[in-house]
Amino acid sequence: MVEKTVGQIVRERAAMHPTTEAYVYPERDIRKTYKEFDEETDRLAKAFMGIGIAKGEHIAIWSDNKREWLLSQFATGKMGGVLVTVNTSYQSAELEYLLKQSDATTLILGEEFKGTSYIDIINEVCPELKTAEKGAVSSGKLPHFKRVIVMGENQFPGIYTWSEFEAFADRVDDDQLEERFVSMEPDDVINIQYTSGTTGFPKGVMLTHRNVVNNGKLIGDTMNLSELDRLCIPVPFFHCFGCVLGTMAAVTHSTTMVIAEQFDPKRVLQMVQDEKCTGLHGVPTMFIAELNHPDFASFDTSTLRTGIMAGSPCPIEVMKKVINDMGASEITIAYGQTESSPVITQTRADDDIEKRVSTVGKPHAEVEVKIVDPVTGEQVPTGVPGELCTRGYHVMKGYYKNEEATRNAIDEDGWLHTGDIAVEDEDGYIAITGRIKDMVIRGGENIYPREIEEFLYQHLSIQDVQVVGVPDPKYGEELMAWVILKEGQQLSAEELREYCRGKISRHKIPRYIEFTKEYPMTASGKIQKFKLREMSAERTEKTEV
């Protein structure tokens, strides 16, 4: 266990590898060494202090993977501000909820994202901004809210430009920064991440220096990262995948971060080639988009060694292609959730291919895992599915201002209940077979959609497939498969059912099959199965009529 703050890690790495590149933005032609990164984040930490942000104060940040986001993450780690990460796809009601629930005093934002004006949205949420003096916002709806900073130099009423904000650093000297720096403890909250809120309102997960520093370190250890590695990070920073599995895993190992502001499969392949990346992160849909890009074969990805595929279940066939076609022979699977900082288990670089494609690996060091019967709470034997629970340094401090939800998630013995169904094999490897909510019960038979998805992925015409349960008057639930076909391929529902017959049990063959071009997704690239279930129920109701 590392008992250090985020800021201490940056300083340690800058001292050890001052000339190693810390980060590269190929699209912006920006390259900075670890020494420069340390100096930049010191100056920005002073700016946060100079503008009046106290230790423990909440700073919301809302943009794609801009350099200002990266620097803010590590600068707040030096002066004790709590970074509240905002989903890039949020609209006005969601932003208002987050700013209010988190008690944020400050919002740092990009001007826009994919054609949506963030400036217009914050003006809608806080109309007082247009007439406010910069840094002195007074909002009826947001009693704690004081200031807005834009990542850029365009002037907007009531909003600091980035250079105006940075100039506040001149008000703070080295001794004042040092006093703040040494006042922080590893157990202090440094980050609040809002869960995507697939049920009810999003909850603010409070993560500490100890949570994210150690999780990042153990992730990088498992990948064998070092100062010789160059990790391509196209996953969003606002999600733990970006800011723990990505930036924190890299910085704890002096690894170079090669950053894409937004995901684009061709751009990522270009970065991997031009920057000679040794690692690449992505959710399965990203890897699928890269592998299926018409120009894929023209890119040289031979420098790839490692990376992480995570965020949602990783199809076995996709994993094999990443190893064989991309050359990432040591690619790992990581599993966890925001509430566990986030990684609980991970496959190892030297695990055989079977373990790496059929399990999510073993628990990290310092992490306890048990699998229990969701009804009785009793531990189940090896090979029997149950709910995965975990305990250790990585469990969140709790949900911000939500003690009831915290008690529901973490029991009195400190076990975090994940809501995921898992099976442990005799070697200690864990397979995730679904969410408790995803499990389909058809005529008394428990069916795990993941198993059927893995089978259907093997069909040569199928690019992606998702299976969900839909209500049925006779069996309680029936199966529905949503299929994305590969470019130029044709397949009928009946042909797909015929493919299943004799290979999987009759009750596992989807009764309903729909072909689609895309799935409802979160901004972090996860497929929203709850929306697929809603769409499926609507379709089947119409069919029944």
Side-chain angles (χ1 to χ4, degrees):
M1 292 292 291
V2 177
E3 289 298 324
K4 289 183 177 154
T5 63
V6 168
Q8 285 172 323
I9 293 293
V10 176
R11 290 195 178 171
E12 170 192 278
R13 293 289 141 181
M16 288 170 72
H17 300 108
T19 60
T20 298
E21 282 185 334
Y23 67 89
V24 180
Y25 276 87
E27 301 157 276
R28 305 275 178 203
D29 200 22
I30 297 171
R31 297 173 182 277
K32 298 289 180 179
T33 64
Y34 267 92
K35 182 175 184 292
E36 291 168 323
F37 181 52
D38 186 33
E39 290 165 352
E40 286 180 317
T41 48
D42 267 1
R43 178 159 176 80
L44 203 61
K46 288 179 181 178
F48 280 119
M49 291 172 65
I51 209 168
I53 293 174
K55 182 179 164 186
E57 201 166 307
H58 294 181
I59 305 160
I61 188 159
W62 192 29
S63 85
D64 53 11
N65 293 2
K66 288 187 168 41
R67 173 171 166 257
E68 293 87 348
W69 206 118
L70 176 72
L71 296 178
S72 296
Q73 179 187 359
F74 289 90
T76 50
K78 288 181 168 182
M79 54 64 65
V82 177
L83 204 64
V84 181
T85 58
V86 186
N87 189 314
T88 48
S89 65
Y90 270 12
Q91 297 295 314
S92 56
E94 296 156 313
L95 180 71
E96 182 180 329
Y97 169 80
L98 180 141
L99 292 174
K100 195 170 188 174
Q101 206 280 332
S102 70
D103 298 327
T105 65
T106 306
L107 174 65
I108 302 171
L109 79 175
E111 280 190 34
E112 60 86 39
F113 177 75
K114 294 186 175 177
T116 297
S117 169
Y118 284 178
I119 301 292
D120 287 351
I121 291 176
I122 187 58
N123 278 312
E124 185 184 334
V125 169
C126 180
E128 299 91 340
L129 185 60
K130 280 189 172 172
T131 54
E133 193 182 319
K134 291 180 185 184
V137 179
S138 179
S139 165
K141 286 186 290 192
L142 308 169
H144 296 271
F145 196 57
K146 294 178 189 169
R147 60 186 80 82
V148 182
I149 302 159
V150 70
M151 299 177 183
E153 296 309 314
N154 289 330
Q155 290 282 352
F156 301 99
I159 299 175
Y160 289 111
T161 66
W162 191 255
S163 59
E164 285 170 347
F165 164 53
E166 281 191 316
F168 279 93
D170 298 332
R171 300 185 182 187
V172 177
D173 62 31
D174 290 350
D175 289 345
Q176 288 170 297
L177 174 60
E178 202 55 32
E179 191 180 328
R180 180 76 69 89
F181 187 91
V182 299
S183 74
M184 289 188 290
E185 298 290 339
D187 201 37
D188 291 344
V189 173
I190 193 63
N191 185 207
I192 296 179
Q193 298 252 344
Y194 277 79
T195 56
S196 48
T198 51
T199 54
F201 285 108
K203 299 185 283 287
V205 176
M206 295 187 287
L207 300 177
T208 65
H209 291 270
R210 181 182 288 115
N211 286 151
V212 297
V213 165
N214 284 286
N215 209 253
K217 180 185 178 297
L218 288 163
I219 290 160
D221 288 352
T222 308
M223 296 169 67
N224 298 321
L225 287 184
S226 77
E227 73 279 6
L228 304 175
D229 281 298
R230 300 173 70 78
L231 177 64
C232 183
I233 309 175
V235 288
F237 285 166
F238 74 79
H239 190 274
C240 273
F241 201 166
C243 68
V244 183
L245 287 80
T247 59
M248 199 60 69
V251 172
T252 49
H253 295 81
S254 307
T255 294
T256 303
M257 299 171 273
V258 179
I259 298 164
E261 289 187 359
Q262 292 179 23
F263 174 73
D264 173 82
K266 187 171 183 177
R267 207 178 298 149
V268 169
L269 291 166
Q270 190 80 51
M271 284 182 183
V272 169
Q273 173 182 284
D274 295 353
E275 293 295 329
K276 297 184 166 42
C277 293
T278 59
L280 173 62
H281 282 358
V283 295
T285 48
M286 289 179 174
F287 282 106
I288 289 168
E290 290 151 11
L291 288 160
N292 286 283
H293 194 278
D295 298 335
F296 173 74
S298 68
F299 289 99
D300 178 4
T301 61
S302 61
T303 53
L304 282 179
R305 170 185 71 80
T306 186
I308 296 175
M309 199 189 302
S312 56
C314 307
I316 289 168
E317 295 304 310
V318 176
M319 188 71 172
K320 286 178 178 171
K321 283 182 179 172
V322 171
I323 293 169
N324 298 325
D325 301 355
M326 279 188 164
S329 59
E330 297 178 20
I331 186 96
T332 75
I333 297 274
Y335 156 75
Q337 53 185 212
T338 310
E339 289 86 342
S340 57
S341 318
V343 175
I344 300 168
T345 70
Q346 194 173 355
T347 58
R348 274 46 175 179
D350 57 357
D351 282 340
D352 64 53
I353 180 74
E354 194 47 47
K355 292 291 191 198
R356 278 197 283 157
V357 297
S358 61
T359 78
V360 291
K362 290 180 172 179
H364 272 176
E366 308 290 340
V367 165
E368 289 181 83
V369 162
K370 68 175 179 178
I371 296 171
V372 302
D373 184 303
V375 180
T376 67
E378 294 296 311
Q379 205 155 341
V380 298
T382 301
V384 176
E387 183 185 17
L388 188 142
C389 300
T390 188
R391 182 167 69 178
Y393 81 88
H394 59 307
V395 173
M396 66 174 175
K397 209 160 193 177
Y399 294 116
Y400 185 64
K401 294 196 313 190
N402 197 336
E403 286 180 19
E404 185 187 350
T406 303
R407 281 194 302 273
N408 289 339
I410 304 169
D411 67 28
E412 55 199 20
D413 295 320
W415 290 97
L416 172 68
H417 290 250
T418 65
D420 287 326
I421 300 167
V423 182
E424 187 173 1
D425 69 17
E426 58 282 355
D427 298 322
Y429 287 81
I430 289 168
I432 304 297
T433 54
R435 294 283 296 163
I436 288 174
K437 294 184 186 75
D438 286 346
M439 188 175 76
V440 177
I441 304 174
R442 181 190 182 277
E445 294 265 11
N446 289 1
I447 302 173
Y448 301 102
R450 175 79 195 273
E451 179 192 351
I452 300 155
E453 289 163 359
E454 292 292 5
F455 169 74
L456 294 175
Y457 269 118
Q458 296 169 37
H459 193 289
L460 295 175
S461 298
I462 290 178
Q463 177 174 307
D464 208 348
V465 58
Q466 296 293 320
V467 174
V468 295
V470 290
D472 182 76
K474 183 177 180 183
Y475 292 105
E477 282 186 289
E478 275 284 7
L479 294 174
M480 181 162 190
W482 291 82
V483 178
I484 296 178
L485 294 176
K486 288 179 181 169
E487 198 72 41
Q489 295 293 317
Q490 288 188 316
L491 186 67
S492 71
E494 193 42 52
E495 284 169 338
L496 189 53
R497 287 193 196 93
E498 189 55 44
Y499 173 79
C500 297
R501 288 186 187 111
K503 297 194 189 84
I504 58 173
S505 305
R506 188 178 296 169
H507 69 274
K508 292 180 183 173
I509 299 174
R511 177 173 170 190
Y512 304 102
I513 296 172
E514 284 274 346
F515 295 94
T516 185
K517 295 286 186 197
E518 59 185 9
Y519 299 125
M521 309 277 271
T522 67
S524 55
K526 289 186 186 179
I527 293 161
Q528 293 176 304
K529 276 211 162 177
F530 75 102
K531 284 197 176 169
L532 273 181
R533 279 194 291 272
E534 289 168 6
M535 288 160 58
S536 301
E538 285 172 18
R539 296 283 172 98
T540 53
E541 273 173 25
K542 286 175 187 169
T543 312
E544 296 299 329
V545 174

